[in-house]
Amino acid sequence: MGNSVELSAPKDLTLPANPGFTQLESNMAEEPKFYHPDPSVVEYATVKEYDALYQRSITDREGFWAEQAEALDWYKKWDRVLDDSNKPFFKWFTGAKTNIVQNAIDRHLVTRNRNKLAIIWEGEPGDVHSYSYHALNREVSRFANILKAMGVKKGEIVTLYMPQLPELVFGMLACAKIGAAHSVVYGGFSADALRDRINDAQSRVVITADGGYRRGKPVDLKSIANEALKHCPTVEVCICVQRTGQPVYMENDRDYWYHDLYKLPVASPKCETEPMDAEDMLFLLYTSGSTGKPKGLVHTHGGYQVYASTTHKMVFDIKPEDRYWCAADPGWITGHSYIVYGPLINGTTLILYEGAPNHPYPNRWWSMIEKYGINILYTSPTAVRGLMRFGESWPAKHDLSSLRLLGSVGEPINPEAWRWYHRVIGGGRCPIMDTWWQTETGGFMITPLPITPLKPGSATKPFFGNECAVVDDHGKEVGPGEEGSLVIKNPWPGMARTVYKDPDRYQETYWSRYAAQGWYTVGDSAKRDEDGYFWIIGRIDDVIKVSGYRLGTAEIESALVGHPAVSEAAAIALPHELKGNAIHCYVILRANQSPSEDLAESLKNQVADHLGKIARPDGIVFVDSLPKTRSGKIMRRVLKARALGQDEGDLSTLEE
Ligand code: PRX
């Protein structure tokens, strides 16, 4: 019966244009249980064995991390590796003095790395700038001196709202160098989102740019910043980097062109790095959670530098000669840990690219891999799926043989995309490091190493020092293949220390569900299979991942309710072929309003204007009521099950 249905497919069914898809279909039957690494990869790898080192890292966690920390420079070594006297507010390397810039830049200046390329930056129009570690130090020092001249003090928080320019990296490092904390707000966020983050951090200084290039057009950033700054009473100084040269409004006595400041004698290329306590704040990074207010996660100099550099070095098997490209935006945690800090601490040559992956043609990335001889490419499943759509002929135009390792992050990678990435981009020889982690974790938590036998779609096993489990509501580990809540049973040096100005929220969000056991609640559902491999399924809280971007349902709903026509709203995620998930909203209108196409468009725009384009819903459905619990909580799970035609599950708490 099944066959006859397949055979009578509609006549207009067209075969995919990409021959790779058909080949994949026919290969599926022969899918091996494991993809074993190529012997050349194993031979080259620094970490050649997982089990023994993992066991050691668990039985002597502090010893393991102390050993990793020894590989870095410190002005003064720690008294204690881990201080767990005030759980869950763990501290690492207490008593130590350091500054992440000491390791990301300063220590390279007295080695052969001094003249090595640190950053190769390519603009979307094709302009290229490269910086050695020596040059990077000069740029960062000049920026640091400019910030000092603007009165920036140790401990204050500087907000950066920038496109992917070298100056974003210089600005972050300049803040760290003088002991200020940075709060980078992704350049795709709206004026409202920027305003809220600046106000929460009470920034006095904001760094932005006139714009950047995206798909051949200048994107306007300064006017969005201007809009936000109208409602940011703490901001006294706005430094603007000129990239596109488009006309922008500069406010007298507040706004300064970076290139003007750069010419002043004060912008000297020499600047001392400020010694910091290991636990001093390095940066704040806002991320969405289950309430409307994004939380500012606090990361510190000492533990974070150890965690970001160790995970980066071991998972991407970093060698001195490598050219490494993490194609994320520095404005997200992936960019913080694996574009900027991890790679620079490891003395890596990193690639930074300003624009769209398919500009001017869908081979932009592949041509860059060939041009720069890139060895490691780290990106998201959404980017892989997006580029896969254009077919194999685009990568086939380029010699990708320099690639040794691939990486994936941000959302589960579907096996089809995994296999395409592995076969077409990695030539079947490059293992894919599917790294599972979060803004909160600072670095990889569950991830393969190059030597790990892989299963497409699984992030495999915990990184050293970490004990992860999939548990039920009572904290009991579920059986192999069963779905449950992912927890981490131990502290690790890269963990966020708190939510800025809201320690209760930190404790409540992450540590209250399994308070008795003292475990960290991730907020993801997962399975563990019979080989001990972890499979991340998705968020179980009110967070939606769209193209790997993290958004809160509450933020989307409050943007909708802010529209004069809307009385109530609920947002859910529905699966989407390219984006992983797409946002769909259910809206109850006010009494005098009636549904229309135009209104649906205007509501979509309302969300995009409030949060940024990434949050624009795909669908708006007008409804008369929403499924709620007796206590009035919207049951999004029911909406989702209905939309997908699935079983609605337990409805006992549903109010009629
Ligand atoms: O749901 C998981 C998903 O992304 C969430 C964290 O989002 P964010 O803080 O924005 O950090 C993204 C970059 C680290 C996780 O709770 N996620 C991240 N990596 C993976 C993933 N889901 C499946 N597989 C991954 N490799």
Side-chain angles (χ1 to χ4, degrees):
M1 280 299 281
N3 275 346
S4 66
V5 172
E6 275 164 34
L7 287 172
S8 62
K11 275 202 221 68
D12 62 351
L13 182 81
T14 43
L15 283 173
N18 176 356
F21 282 80
T22 26
Q23 195 187 335
L24 283 176
E25 302 284 305
S26 60
N27 278 349
M28 298 244 275
E30 303 150 30
E31 171 84 0
K33 182 169 184 199
F34 289 107
Y35 282 72
H36 287 280
D38 198 80
S40 64
V41 173
V42 179
E43 193 180 327
Y44 197 74
T46 306
V47 182
K48 290 211 182 336
E49 220 271 334
Y50 171 80
D51 292 336
L53 187 53
Y54 178 73
Q55 275 319 320
R56 223 217 83 200
S57 75
I58 297 303
T59 39
D60 179 17
R61 183 170 290 116
E62 290 182 40
F64 174 82
W65 286 116
E67 203 171 286
Q68 309 314 314
E70 289 287 349
L72 300 183
D73 282 0
W74 303 79
Y75 300 119
K76 175 182 173 286
K77 290 265 173 75
W78 50 94
D79 303 322
R80 281 176 79 172
V81 176
L82 171 64
D83 175 353
D84 58 0
S85 57
N86 182 26
K87 292 173 189 164
F89 300 95
F90 296 93
K91 292 180 180 166
W92 287 85
F93 306 107
T94 48
K97 288 272 182 196
T98 186
N99 184 312
I100 202 161
V101 173
Q102 180 190 12
N103 285 297
I105 303 179
D106 300 353
R107 68 171 180 156
H108 301 308
L109 303 177
V110 293
T111 70
R112 286 184 181 176
N113 283 346
R114 178 186 165 90
N115 293 332
K116 178 179 173 176
L117 286 186
I119 300 176
I120 302 173
W121 175 84
E122 185 167 305
E124 198 189 66
D127 42 342
V128 177
H129 290 279
S130 55
Y131 304 85
S132 65
Y133 276 88
H134 170 72
L136 176 65
N137 179 52
R138 290 174 59 89
E139 295 294 338
V140 170
S141 297
R142 296 182 81 146
F143 213 140
N145 282 323
I146 289 171
L147 292 178
K148 276 189 180 174
M150 291 295 181
V152 175
K153 298 268 171 338
K154 187 171 173 174
E156 102 176 47
I157 302 166
V158 175
T159 297
L160 294 94
Y161 180 66
M162 303 265 282
Q164 295 204 43
L165 298 178
E167 285 80 3
L168 170 53
V169 179
F170 304 157
M172 290 165 72
L173 290 160
C175 290
K177 190 175 174 71
I178 62 174
H182 54 74
S183 165
V184 180
V185 178
Y186 169 59
F189 273 137
S190 66
D192 289 2
L194 175 61
R195 174 203 63 203
D196 291 349
R197 287 158 177 78
I198 293 173
N199 287 339
D200 190 67
Q202 302 266 293
S203 286
R204 209 176 52 78
V205 175
V206 171
I207 304 168
T208 187
D210 55 353
Y213 291 100
R214 191 82 192 173
R215 297 208 168 79
K217 291 195 200 83
V219 177
D220 187 3
L221 226 64
K222 182 64 166 67
S223 59
I224 301 176
N226 285 342
E227 189 53 40
L229 293 185
K230 283 186 193 155
H231 313 282
C232 297
T234 56
V235 176
E236 291 168 17
V237 173
C238 176
I239 299 174
C240 188
V241 173
Q242 191 172 47
R243 163 64 180 146
T244 60
Q246 64 202 323
V248 294
Y249 170 75
M250 298 284 281
E251 182 147 314
N252 268 344
D253 298 329
R254 184 194 71 188
D255 296 353
Y256 301 85
W257 285 110
Y258 183 64
H259 58 267
D260 288 339
L261 301 171
Y262 194 88
K263 286 183 213 132
L264 301 176
V266 73
S268 130
K270 284 204 167 71
C271 175
E272 287 297 316
T273 303
E274 182 74 31
M276 306 292 286
D277 287 339
E279 282 291 309
D280 278 341
M281 176 159 66
L282 166 64
F283 65 84
L284 255 188
L285 194 56
Y286 286 90
T287 192
S288 298
S290 51
T291 73
K293 194 173 175 288
K295 42 196 171 196
L297 290 155
V298 173
H299 285 281
T300 59
H301 279 261
Y304 175 81
Q305 68 177 357
V306 175
Y307 202 75
S309 62
T310 306
T311 47
H312 177 252
K313 186 169 63 198
M314 289 187 175
V315 173
F316 286 124
D317 197 23
I318 296 300
K319 299 285 170 27
E321 60 277 17
D322 279 337
R323 288 196 162 182
Y324 161 90
W325 186 15
C326 168
D329 189 293
W332 301 99
I333 191 68
T334 308
H336 282 52
S337 301
Y338 299 112
I339 295 178
V340 181
Y341 290 115
L344 292 177
I345 294 172
N346 290 326
T348 314
T349 299
L350 64 94
I351 313 294
L352 202 59
Y353 167 58
E354 177 186 33
N358 57 346
H359 187 83
Y361 300 108
N363 63 334
R364 181 63 182 262
W365 278 18
W366 320 132
S367 73
M368 285 179 61
I369 290 170
E370 178 173 10
K371 176 176 170 191
Y372 298 113
I374 291 166
N375 309 103
I376 301 156
L377 173 67
Y378 184 34
T379 184
S380 68
T382 290
V384 172
R385 288 190 293 261
L387 290 165
M388 180 171 152
R389 198 173 42 142
F390 297 110
E392 287 179 32
S393 59
W394 291 103
K397 291 185 206 303
H398 298 279
D399 177 2
L400 305 180
S401 62
S402 60
L403 287 173
R404 188 175 85 246
L405 288 171
L406 300 172
S408 174
V409 62
E411 48 184 321
I413 182 162
N414 50 311
E416 294 72 26
W418 193 100
R419 287 191 212 98
W420 188 86
Y421 193 28
H422 186 255
R423 179 175 60 82
V424 179
I425 307 307
R429 74 184 179 276
C430 306
I432 299 173
M433 302 299 104
D434 180 354
T435 60
W436 175 84
W437 59 296
Q438 309 177 293
T439 307
E440 291 84 345
T441 70
F444 309 149
M445 298 305 287
I446 301 180
T447 172
L449 297 171
I451 53 158
T452 309
L454 302 174
K455 299 187 188 188
S458 168
T460 76
K461 297 196 170 181
F463 187 74
F464 301 120
N466 294 330
E467 289 170 277
C468 305
V470 180
V471 301
D472 66 16
D473 285 346
H474 309 288
K476 189 171 163 298
E477 205 153 332
V478 300
E482 279 176 48
E483 191 172 335
S485 170
L486 183 62
V487 296
I488 301 161
K489 296 183 169 180
N490 54 274
W492 63 100
M495 66 202 303
R497 299 300 192 263
T498 189
V499 172
Y500 185 60
K501 293 195 294 201
D502 203 350
D504 292 346
R505 188 168 177 198
Y506 176 75
Q507 185 150 18
E508 170 61 31
T509 311
Y510 306 107
W511 302 92
S512 65
R513 185 154 173 208
Y514 300 104
Q517 297 90 335
W519 297 341
Y520 169 88
T521 308
V522 161
D524 282 358
S525 66
K527 292 179 185 174
R528 192 179 199 175
D529 70 16
E530 66 287 355
D531 297 309
Y533 278 44
F534 286 86
W535 299 77
I536 309 300
I537 298 166
R539 300 291 307 192
I540 32 182
D541 53 6
D542 300 323
V543 168
I544 299 183
K545 278 271 167 162
V546 181
S547 302
Y549 296 115
R550 180 166 162 176
L551 297 159
T553 51
E555 294 168 272
I556 300 163
E557 290 158 7
S558 85
L560 286 169
V561 175
H563 190 285
V566 176
S567 146
E568 270 189 86
I572 60 165
L574 292 181
H576 186 279
E577 211 181 320
L578 269 184
K579 301 192 272 193
N581 290 299
I583 300 169
H584 288 256
C585 303
Y586 295 80
V587 172
I588 303 179
L589 293 177
R590 286 181 187 273
N592 54 348
Q593 300 286 333
S594 44
S596 71
E597 284 283 323
D598 284 350
L599 182 55
E601 271 308 293
S602 136
L603 295 183
K604 288 179 186 175
N605 292 339
Q606 165 92 0
V607 179
D609 291 347
H610 273 260
L611 297 171
K613 282 197 196 108
I614 46 171
R616 195 172 202 277
D618 275 28
I620 301 274
V621 182
F622 297 103
V623 292
D624 295 329
S625 66
L626 289 167
K628 287 191 190 154
T629 61
R630 281 183 204 105
S631 57
K633 254 190 105 188
I634 297 171
M635 295 179 82
R636 296 188 188 84
R637 148 182 93 71
V638 174
L639 287 170
K640 187 166 179 171
R642 275 184 201 165
L644 296 173
Q646 292 170 346
D647 176 19
E648 291 172 12
D650 178 10
L651 295 181
S652 57
T653 56
L654 183 71
E655 192 191 50
E656 199 45 55

